[in-house]
Amino acid sequence: MTPEKEPEVTRPPEDRPELRDIPADWPVDETFTRFTGHKTSVRTDRVRMPDGTVAARDYLVHPGSVAVVALDDEDRVTVIRQYRHPVRRELWEVPAGLLDVPGENPLHAAQRELYEEAHVKADDWRVLTDLYPSPGGTDEAVRIFLARGLSDADGDRYAVGEEEAHMLHARVPLAELVRAGLAGELQNSFLLLGVLAVTVARSGDGLDALRPADAPWPARPFG
């Protein structure tokens, strides 16, 4: 009888670099601003590669964003449905917005967005994850927060206009959002990454082990 073969175990190579994104700044021979808008602009950089060749790179210059997965005591997430003209869709999303003030504390921005878009405040804040949503085409950096201990915000609702005046509001069970996302029924990246990150964090060290709300953010340093 042939002895059963031991399964092969795949191990990372000992010389693999540390699994961490690292700062890098390749030389830029020339830079041009092609368009300047209200909040963003389009830039072309002529970047010198390590072998000496030069390539043009076009990208959107963006101030950065914050988003909030607001989770209540019944395991429901605060979501909104908003019209997004570039994709011609009304998308279910979590509250989110731009870092309007350079150097602004992202927690303060997230608290503001949760109030303005959902009229909700939270007692407990954690950093859920940080990301570059499309690093080949924009320098936008995003911090997604987890907010718990929810209650109605004080005072009147924030006055909104344009697309925001037509938003729908709901609280949807986390598990339902995960299912709809994996089925391709929901496509907003902040919502998808946020609810999946909550699910993964729970299966690991738990939500209380997430980074504190004031954790450093090298992509958008703040005071």
Side-chain angles (χ1 to χ4, degrees):
M1 182 175 178
T2 304
E4 190 172 318
K5 185 178 179 181
E6 291 290 330
E8 294 185 3
V9 178
T10 302
R11 296 184 176 86
E14 295 181 0
D15 60 347
R16 188 181 72 182
E18 182 182 7
L19 194 59
R20 178 185 296 268
D21 297 338
I22 60 173
D25 193 2
W26 292 4
V28 175
D29 287 1
E30 295 179 280
T31 185
F32 311 92
T33 298
R34 304 290 189 180
F35 167 80
T36 300
H38 181 54
K39 295 291 185 181
T40 61
S41 61
V42 176
R43 181 181 297 165
T44 298
D45 289 347
R46 292 180 54 80
V47 184
R48 185 166 295 278
M49 308 292 160
D51 63 1
T53 60
V54 176
R57 292 291 179 260
D58 304 323
Y59 60 99
L60 181 74
V61 179
H62 195 284
S65 305
V66 291
V68 185
V69 177
L71 188 66
D72 69 13
D73 293 338
E74 298 179 43
D75 216 37
R76 300 176 302 173
V77 177
T78 297
V79 291
I80 57 178
R81 196 176 75 188
Q82 183 172 356
Y83 176 66
R84 294 301 188 182
H85 186 71
V87 296
R88 307 302 198 274
R89 294 286 189 278
E90 290 187 15
L91 302 180
W92 283 107
E93 307 177 350
V94 293
L98 300 177
L99 290 168
D100 294 310
V101 181
E104 181 181 18
N105 188 315
L107 173 61
H108 298 165
Q111 291 170 331
R112 179 183 68 241
E113 294 299 333
L114 186 60
Y115 157 67
E116 291 181 357
E117 295 193 349
H119 199 66
V120 169
K121 62 181 180 180
D123 294 331
D124 185 88
W125 290 82
R126 312 273 172 155
V127 174
L128 195 51
T129 191
D130 300 324
L131 70 145
Y132 294 110
S134 185
T138 176
D139 68 350
E140 180 182 8
V142 180
R143 169 158 281 189
I144 302 179
F145 289 90
L146 173 66
R148 294 179 294 173
L150 307 185
S151 59
D152 291 337
D154 300 326
D156 296 330
R157 279 189 170 272
Y158 181 78
V160 296
E162 300 178 345
E163 294 96 333
E164 292 183 349
H166 305 280
M167 291 190 305
L168 296 180
H169 297 78
R171 288 193 181 183
V172 179
L174 177 73
E176 186 175 336
L177 294 172
V178 170
R179 181 209 60 77
L182 295 178
E185 297 165 2
L186 301 176
Q187 299 169 71
N188 176 266
S189 60
F190 298 172
L191 182 151
L192 293 176
L193 183 57
V195 299
L196 292 172
V198 169
T199 303
V200 171
R202 278 179 166 171
S203 68
D205 295 331
L207 300 181
D208 289 337
L210 291 168
R211 286 175 291 163
D214 60 352
W217 189 17
R220 292 293 186 272
F222 57 92

